[in-house]
């Protein structure tokens, strides 16, 4: 009897843990639903603010005004939303797209994101090490967050090149800061270029620019939707090119790290490879799989509105959780050099991405 009780105890503990997480998700999910409803109100809709942006700002307002103790009970729910729900939401976003959308982007929709990824990573590492005096590993982590896919890339790179917790936290903070600024700024850049400077910038081209240069996947979707659905669709496809490149990039960095440690006489063991496998962006592969299913016409037409509504809710909940965990005081405390590096890369992404899109147009 005791052995049965001991065997069932871990199972019961796991079940209770997930039940607690689901309970703490309820208020987050309700607020995300409210953001979805508000975004459809005519007064809100004409401002261009999407439900994802509203949810993000609501989270940031609450996270920076409410006592931290009030939000502690929601911590497990925020973790589920920020990690699991965000990844599921990104994968389900493939329901909106088909492989024809990739073909419609053309070669530029693939080459521009890859060119920005490589150039940002190389430039950021050089500036961080040569001009700002950062360790190469820390410069790589900060640069990866800007070059690939935000905090997820920074954390994945940190697990491969083995930075400490402080360096990883600083890199993630820079991504949150400049990614949030970019999410709000980009729609105004489109309005400035088209409405005031009368430049011939199509929504498709601006979507490629957004996906090739903005940090987080969720930020790309939210910013693109503030311009148009067509912009958001093009932006997500371009962004997925960068996200899918994370796997090969991590493999290269893992090989570089192992070679460096062998030269120093250190035994790396298998931990590096297990960390690499955990860092593979499976949600990006899920996005491609869902898009393939949609392209094959295997999703019943009657199911799509409900599935897309579910996807919007998942993404809005994730954005709310990200906002709740974004505390401005923590960003101020990050280090000067990493913040300067991230700021310089932010300017480079905007200027370099705009130049490449203009050249390719």
């Amino acid at each position: 009897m005791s052995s049965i009780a001991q065997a069932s105890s871990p199972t019961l503990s796991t079940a209770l843990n997930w039940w607690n997480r689901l309970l703490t998700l309820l208020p987050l999910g309700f607020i995300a639903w409210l953001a979805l409803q508000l975004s459809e109100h005519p007064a809100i809709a004409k401002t261009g603010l999407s439900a994802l942006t509203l949810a993000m700002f609501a989270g940031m307002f609450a996270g920076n005004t409410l006592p931290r103790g009030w939000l502690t009970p929601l911590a497990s729910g925020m973790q589920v939303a920020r990690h699991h729900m965000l990844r599921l939401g990104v994968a389900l976003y493939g329901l909106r797209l088909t492989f024809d959308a990739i073909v419609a982007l053309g070669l530029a929709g693939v080459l521009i994101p890859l060119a920005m990824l490589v150039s940002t990573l190389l430039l950021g590492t050089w500036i961080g090490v040569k001009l700002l005096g950062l360790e190469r590993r820390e410069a790589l982590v900060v640069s990866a967050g800007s070059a690939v896919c935000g905090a997820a890339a920074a954390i994945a790179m940190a697990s491969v090149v083995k930075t400490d917790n402080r360096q990883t936290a600083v890199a993630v903070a820079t991504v949150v800061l400049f990614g949030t600024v970019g999410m709000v700024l980009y729609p105004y850049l489109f309005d400035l270029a088209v409405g005031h400077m009368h430049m011939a910038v199509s929504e498709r081209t601006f979507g490629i620019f957004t996906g090739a240069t903005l940090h987080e996947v969720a930020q790309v979707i939210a910013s693109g939707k503030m311009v148009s659905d067509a912009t958001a669709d093009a932006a997500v496809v371009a962004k997925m090119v960068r996200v899918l490149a994370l796997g090969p990039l991590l493999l290269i960095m893992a090989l570089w790290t192992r070679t460096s440690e062998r030269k120093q006489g250190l035994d790396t063991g298998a931990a590096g490879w297990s960390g690499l496998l955990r860092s593979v962006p499976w949600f990006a592969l899920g996005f491609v799989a869902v898009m393939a299913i949609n392209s094959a016409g295997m999703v019943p037409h009657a199911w799509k509105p409900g599935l897309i509504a579910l996807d919007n809710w998942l993404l809005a909940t994730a954005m709310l959780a990200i906002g709740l965990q974004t505390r401005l005081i923590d960003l101020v405390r990050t280090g000067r050099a990493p913040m300067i590096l991230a700021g310089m890369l932010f300017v480079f992404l905007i200027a370099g991405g705009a130049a490449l899109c203009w050249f390719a147009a």
Side-chain angles (χ1 to χ4, degrees), residues 62-142:
N64 286 277
T65 56
L66 297 178
R68 183 169 292 188
W70 291 17
L71 301 176
T72 301
L74 301 177
S76 58
M78 287 190 284
Q79 183 181 16
V80 172
R82 183 168 182 171
H83 296 284
H84 303 291
M85 294 178 72
L86 175 59
R87 284 159 175 75
L88 179 58
V90 172
L92 287 178
Y93 200 91
L95 289 168
R96 297 168 166 86
L97 304 169
T98 63
F99 286 123
D100 290 338
I102 298 179
V103 175
L105 285 184
L107 193 59
V110 176
L111 293 182
I112 291 176
L114 290 178
M116 292 307 302
L117 186 156
V118 174
S119 59
T120 302
L121 193 62
L122 293 176
L123 179 65
T125 304
W126 184 83
I127 291 176
V129 174
K130 299 295 184 181
L131 300 183
L132 298 176
L134 292 171
E135 291 183 18
R136 183 176 297 275
R137 295 169 189 264
E138 185 173 10
L140 275 169
V141 172
V142 174

Side-chain angles (χ1 to χ4, degrees), residues 139-350:
L140 275 169
V141 172
V142 174
S143 301
S146 297
V148 189
C149 54
I155 294 170
M157 181 68 78
S159 69
V160 172
V161 301
K162 302 176 182 177
T163 55
D164 59 38
N165 291 336
R166 185 199 66 80
Q167 292 171 329
T168 304
V170 168
V172 170
T174 63
V175 166
V176 170
L177 175 61
F178 290 103
T180 302
V181 171
M183 180 185 72
V184 178
L185 176 64
Y186 275 36
Y188 290 101
L189 291 178
F190 180 77
D191 184 61
L192 176 65
V194 176
H196 299 279
M197 301 177 66
H198 306 291
M199 298 175 65
V201 180
S202 67
E203 293 179 349
R204 166 188 165 277
T205 299
F206 195 80
I208 294 174
F209 165 74
T210 301
T213 58
L214 200 52
H215 299 61
E216 296 271 5
V217 178
Q219 293 164 350
V220 167
I221 297 173
S223 184
K225 281 186 171 295
M226 290 176 69
V227 177
S228 71
D229 287 339
T231 300
D233 292 347
V236 169
V237 174
K239 182 63 177 178
M240 284 299 106
V241 173
R242 295 165 68 194
V243 174
L244 290 170
L246 179 60
L249 175 62
L250 292 176
L251 178 60
I252 293 171
M253 296 314 302
L255 291 172
W256 172 77
T257 302
R258 287 172 66 87
T259 301
S260 299
E261 291 181 340
R262 281 174 180 169
K263 289 180 179 179
Q264 298 172 24
L266 300 175
D267 183 14
T268 57
W273 295 110
S274 62
L276 173 63
L277 290 175
R278 288 195 300 269
S279 301
V280 172
W282 300 112
F283 69 93
L285 301 180
F287 169 84
V288 175
V290 172
M291 187 167 60
I293 293 172
N294 190 41
S295 299
M298 297 172 63
V299 181
H301 184 73
W303 291 15
K304 277 193 176 181
L307 289 172
I308 290 175
L310 171 63
D311 186 45
N312 288 332
W313 176 75
L314 289 170
L315 291 170
T317 307
M319 292 296 285
L320 174 65
I322 291 172
L324 285 169
Q325 294 179 319
T326 303
R327 296 182 66 88
L328 298 179
I329 188 64
D330 293 335
L331 296 179
V332 173
R333 292 172 180 168
T334 60
R336 181 180 299 178
M339 193 65 70
I340 293 174
L341 174 58
M344 295 174 72
L345 292 179
F346 178 64
V347 174
F348 170 73
L349 282 166
I350 293 177

